[in-house]
Amino acid sequence: MREITNPLQACLEVLIRPNPVFARLATANNWSWVPFVLLVVISILPAYAYFSSVDMDWYQELIINQTMANVSPAEQDAARSGMTRENMIALTLMFAAL
């Protein structure tokens, strides 16, 4: 058996041979951050790709019409002004990490 020496190797080996990885995790410090960061990045990429390419005017109208049909036009405009591409990407980053 090979010795598991780093967290990236552990991320790959856990899929094939999980028992040695879990045994190594008992003695390794701070290895849990690597899989966490990988999961966050993998969670962010599809949403980032979507919001980078979607027509924001269409997206805003779709969401506003579905969720805020019964509110005043001023409230709809306020929500529309907050739904920018940058805000949607930032929210995706934040919620993926949470």
Side-chain angles (χ1 to χ4, degrees):
M1 275 198 289
R2 295 187 306 182
E3 178 70 23
I4 299 169
T5 58
N6 63 62
L8 290 176
Q9 181 185 9
C11 287
L12 294 173
E13 291 288 324
V14 77
L15 300 172
I16 302 166
R17 299 175 316 137
N19 286 340
V21 173
F22 292 128
R24 179 68 174 110
L25 286 176
T27 61
N29 292 327
N30 294 325
W31 277 18
S32 61
W33 287 105
V34 174
F36 172 73
V37 170
L38 287 173
L39 282 172
V40 169
V41 169
I42 289 170
S43 299
I44 289 171
L45 288 177
Y48 180 80
Y50 178 76
F51 286 119
S52 294
S53 62
V54 72
D55 178 15
M56 284 307 288
D57 292 331
W58 169 82
Y59 182 77
Q60 288 172 347
E61 290 305 316
L62 177 74
I63 298 301
I64 298 291
N65 289 339
Q66 287 182 355
T67 61
M68 302 184 78
N70 298 328
V71 299
S72 70
E75 290 174 316
Q76 289 179 350
D77 290 339
R80 203 173 278 113
S81 68
M83 291 180 71
T84 64
R85 184 178 315 274
E86 294 78 22
N87 286 351
M88 299 307 289
I89 290 172
L91 287 171
T92 300
L93 292 169
M94 184 178 69
F95 285 117
L98 287 176

